[in-house]
């Protein structure tokens, strides 16, 4: 699966649903891996969880062995390393 620009919570759900499907994992399997209900996952993948808690979203991301990357729209807009103190 290639990376994609995500601009909303509902779009994250649809993208992760596609990643799950491509990986050959059922919703029931992913829900169990992430420690969430299948019902929650169904709504999330359908883009109907517009205000999903980030900790739950991260459990889904990690259960799919994916990662979330944040970057500025313009790479020269700021020095992220200086901001986070690395």
């Amino acid at each position: 699966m290639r990376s994609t620009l995500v601009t909303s919570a509902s779009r994250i759900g649809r993208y992760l649903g596609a990643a799950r499907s491509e990986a050959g994992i059922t919703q029931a399997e992913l829900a169990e891996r992430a420690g969430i209900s299948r019902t929650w996952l169904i709504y999330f993948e359908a883009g109907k969880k517009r205000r999903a808690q980030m900790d739950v979203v991260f459990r889904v991301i990690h259960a799919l062995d994916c990662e979330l990357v944040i970057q500025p729209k313009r790479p020269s807009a700021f020095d992220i390393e200086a901001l986070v103190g690395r």
Side-chain angles (χ1 to χ4, degrees):
M1 173 148 256
R2 66 174 213 250
S3 61
T4 190
L5 176 63
V6 176
T7 56
S8 67
S10 61
R11 204 158 165 198
I12 290 173
R14 289 192 302 270
Y15 179 81
L16 291 175
R20 176 195 55 74
S21 182
E22 187 173 301
I25 302 169
T26 67
Q27 288 176 326
E29 290 170 329
L30 180 56
E32 184 176 330
R33 287 182 192 183
I36 59 173
S37 74
R38 183 167 175 258
T39 301
W40 186 95
L41 185 60
I42 289 168
Y43 280 100
F44 181 61
E45 288 185 355
K48 295 180 180 178
K49 286 280 185 188
R50 293 187 176 137
R51 294 189 178 162
Q53 288 181 281
M54 287 302 294
D55 62 328
V56 179
V57 173
F58 274 106
R59 291 196 325 233
V60 174
I61 290 169
H62 293 146
L64 283 169
D65 197 28
C66 291
E67 60 186 7
L68 177 67
V69 177
I70 298 174
Q71 65 184 29
K73 287 182 179 180
R74 297 178 317 275
S76 63
F78 58 86
D79 182 358
I80 190 68
E81 299 298 324
L83 292 174
V84 296
R86 292 195 181 231

